[in-house]
């Protein structure tokens, strides 16, 4: 990976919110990569699994030269009487910064506002993202944004080179973009169907370097763990794209396993002859989801195909808190295949109670298990504040929301 530029070169914060304009991309001759943070210390202990896995991962990471660091903002609302439901949102900002790791430079960046057509810009959305109806008055469409992005990626210096996207979490590229494209009759660009989940990669890095009990989930927490200074405004797509880039650069320097996911190949592999895995991962769970919510949600969408007995586990992080993922064992590969097809595109989970401040609704991704889940050990009981062992691990899915609240004192008991 390229060396860091001179320390004197400070990172100029990208625009938090430029004047409203139709979708457009900014392409530059790319100065050297601005002020990366100090290289994180080498691991104090080896990552889980055999040492040769790390070398294999480094080899795989070196295979990609271009990293498309992305962040989208979409229409949203809060509360139980939402004007925008989680399974019918629209992308209103499509932003990216493309990093040429071989040259050590930013190649291009783009910030595209996309006019909403079906869903309103709510007060909550404006508070969260800074995007208002005025911001989008002269905006283009998602189709415009995709066309401009693909044109930018077809520049001679980029075309044909191995690349992958990077996003903070799975929602942007595995749920929101496919859902919005499907609604508009558009195709997701093939170049965006292989990506790195920054959150999972950063958690693997944190596990390798310690300390135990650290929480690495939000973009701010990831940057803190990697020694990257936050710049710009959170929930501005362009600013967050820059933070994804700077965090990715630090992970590349550390040599951690980035584990790019080929979404289509993953699905094909699950359906392939000879695969007998009966388990699926549920990604994006609300913090307040308990076992009864899981059973009701599965029954609603799988119906009679749901076996009478399914094992449901929850994924715990280094701090023993739920990580928003669960593992469901459907008992047979055939049942898991049926469930995967039923959940294609994501399904909304609504759970909790408004009066008890536990109400949540989330669009959940259902996918095959990845190494991040396959490497986990399983505990016999859900942890408490007195638990002395630290994750990551799998544990029985909690049955009472009070068990979840006790792990997070800020939410009360």
């Amino acid at each position: 990976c390229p060396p860091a530029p001179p320390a004197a070169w400070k990172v100029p914060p990208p625009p938090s919110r430029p004047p409203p304009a139709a979708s457009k991309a900014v392409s530059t001759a790319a100065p050297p990569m601005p002020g990366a943070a100090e290289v994180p210390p080498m691991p104090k202990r080896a990552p889980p699994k055999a040492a040769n896995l790390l070398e294999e991962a480094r080899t795989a990471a070196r295979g990609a030269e271009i990293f498309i660091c992305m962040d989208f903002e979409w229409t949203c609302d809060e509360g139980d009487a939402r004007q925008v439901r989680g399974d019918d949102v629209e992308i209103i900002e499509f932003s990216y910064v493309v990093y040429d790791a071989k040259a050590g430079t930013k190649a291009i960046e783009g910030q595209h506002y996309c006019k909403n057509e079906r869903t309103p810009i709510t007060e909550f959305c404006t508070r969260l993202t800074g995007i208002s109806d005025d911001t989008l008055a002269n905006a283009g469409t998602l189709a415009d944004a995709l066309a401009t992005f693909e044109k930018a990626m077809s520049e001679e210096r980029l075309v044909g080179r191995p690349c992958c996207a990077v996003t903070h979490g799975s929602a942007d590229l595995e749920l929101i973009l496919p859902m919005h494209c499907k609604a508009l009759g558009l195709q997701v660009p093939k170049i965006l169907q292989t990506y790195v989940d920054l959150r999972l990669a950063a958690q693997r890095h944190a596990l390798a370097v310690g300390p135990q009990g650290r929480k690495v989930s939000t973009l701010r927490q990831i940057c803190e763990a990697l020694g990257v200074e936050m710049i710009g405004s959170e929930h501005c797509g362009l600013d967050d794209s820059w933070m994804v880039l700077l965090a990715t650069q630090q992970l590349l320097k550390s040599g951690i396993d980035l584990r790019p996911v080929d979404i289509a190949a993953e699905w094909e592999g699950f359906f392939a002859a000879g695969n007998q895995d009966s388990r699926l991962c549920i990604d994006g769970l609300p913090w307040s989801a308990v076992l009864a919510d899981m059973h009701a949600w599965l029954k609603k969408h799988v119906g009679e195909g749901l076996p009478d007995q399914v094992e449901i586990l929850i994924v715990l992080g280094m701090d023993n808190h739920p990580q928003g993922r669960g593992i469901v064992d459907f008992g047979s590969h055939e049942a898991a295949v049926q469930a995967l097809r039923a959940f294609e595109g994501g399904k909304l989970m609504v759970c909790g109670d408004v009066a008890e401040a536990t109400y949540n609704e989330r669009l959940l991704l259902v996918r095959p298990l990845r190494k991040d889940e396959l490497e986990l050990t399983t505990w016999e009981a859900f942890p408490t504040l007195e638990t002395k062992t630290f994750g990551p691990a799998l544990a029985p899915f909690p049955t009472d929301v009070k068990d979840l609240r006790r792990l997070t004192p800020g939410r009360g008991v």
Side-chain angles (χ1 to χ4, degrees), residues 8-331:
W9 193 347
K10 299 298 183 181
V11 180
S16 295
R17 191 63 55 193
S23 295
K24 63 179 181 180
V26 178
S27 180
T28 71
M33 185 63 208
E38 294 296 324
V39 179
M42 293 304 293
K44 297 176 182 177
R45 58 186 175 88
K49 297 294 180 181
N52 65 332
L53 283 179
L54 183 56
E55 183 54 37
E56 291 173 6
R58 286 173 173 166
T59 301
R62 284 197 296 267
E65 298 178 359
I66 304 297
F67 292 88
I68 308 167
C69 302
M70 316 191 76
D71 187 78
F72 309 149
E73 303 299 329
W74 51 83
T75 53
C76 55
D77 204 359
E78 63 179 346
D80 60 328
R82 304 185 183 199
Q83 298 180 66
V84 182
R85 314 306 297 200
D87 55 355
D88 187 32
V89 303
E90 298 176 273
I91 293 172
I92 52 178
E93 183 186 350
F94 181 102
S95 290
Y96 52 88
V97 184
V98 179
Y99 176 50
D100 185 337
K102 187 174 182 179
T105 62
K106 178 199 75 173
I108 55 174
E109 71 179 69
Q111 182 180 46
H112 311 274
Y113 289 126
C114 306
K115 182 71 172 177
N116 53 315
E117 298 175 348
R118 304 185 316 276
T119 55
I121 302 298
T122 63
E123 181 182 346
F124 171 77
C125 182
T126 299
R127 289 201 314 270
L128 182 70
T129 68
I131 298 174
S132 66
D133 288 319
D134 289 342
T135 310
L136 303 178
N138 299 313
T141 65
L142 179 62
D144 297 331
L146 290 172
T148 308
F149 166 74
E150 291 189 280
K151 181 179 180 180
M153 292 302 299
S154 67
E155 290 187 14
E156 184 177 354
R157 59 186 169 140
L158 299 176
V159 70
R161 296 175 63 186
C163 69
C164 70
V166 188
T167 59
H168 174 230
S170 60
D172 295 68
L173 291 179
E174 294 206 65
L175 288 174
I176 304 303
L177 182 60
M179 177 174 64
H180 197 175
C181 283
K182 182 178 180 180
L184 298 178
L186 304 172
Q187 294 293 319
V188 175
K190 185 173 178 57
I191 201 172
L192 297 182
Q193 295 181 32
T194 299
Y195 85 106
V196 169
D197 185 332
L198 177 69
R199 179 185 287 124
L200 295 183
Q203 289 171 355
R204 290 190 291 274
H205 174 270
L207 179 63
V209 303
Q212 287 184 326
R214 189 168 197 172
K215 187 174 181 64
V216 182
S217 182
T218 67
L219 189 54
R220 180 172 291 278
Q221 290 167 347
I222 289 170
C223 289
E224 289 174 353
L226 295 172
V228 174
E229 181 182 356
M230 290 288 291
I231 58 174
S233 301
E234 291 184 78
H235 298 293
C236 164
L238 182 58
D239 290 359
D240 285 351
S241 296
W242 270 97
M243 300 320 303
V244 170
L245 186 155
L246 294 174
T248 299
Q249 187 187 46
Q250 291 303 101
L251 290 173
L252 287 169
K253 289 179 180 180
S254 74
I256 202 65
D257 187 343
L258 291 182
R259 298 183 184 174
V261 175
D262 184 325
I263 300 170
E266 183 177 71
W267 272 61
E268 291 172 5
F270 192 80
F271 292 129
N275 186 0
Q276 295 301 312
D277 198 350
S278 59
R279 300 163 298 172
L280 292 173
C281 178
I282 316 299
D283 193 353
L285 289 167
W287 76 268
S288 59
V290 294
L291 188 61
D293 298 318
M294 290 293 293
H295 279 296
W297 182 75
L298 290 167
K299 189 69 175 178
K300 176 181 178 180
H301 296 291
V302 179
E304 297 303 320
L306 184 68
D308 292 334
Q309 298 294 324
V310 292
E311 181 182 30
I312 307 177
L313 302 173
I314 196 164
V315 177
L316 304 173
M318 292 172 59
D319 59 350
N320 289 354
H321 285 65
Q323 293 295 291
R325 286 177 288 147
I327 306 298
V328 180
D329 191 335
F330 290 88

Side-chain angles (χ1 to χ4, degrees), residues 318-373:
M318 292 172 59
D319 59 350
N320 289 354
H321 285 65
Q323 293 295 291
R325 286 177 288 147
I327 306 298
V328 180
D329 191 335
F330 290 88
S332 71
H333 181 64
E334 292 73 19
V337 164
Q338 180 179 342
L340 187 58
R341 287 179 173 144
F343 286 112
E344 183 175 2
K347 298 295 181 184
L348 196 67
M349 172 183 276
V350 179
C351 64
D353 183 87
V354 175
E356 296 181 1
T358 60
Y359 180 87
N360 265 292
E361 64 172 69
R362 297 288 298 274
L363 183 64
L364 306 187
L365 171 69
V366 179
R367 58 166 174 80
L369 269 61
R370 295 170 184 161
K371 282 186 179 181
D372 295 278
E373 293 88 36

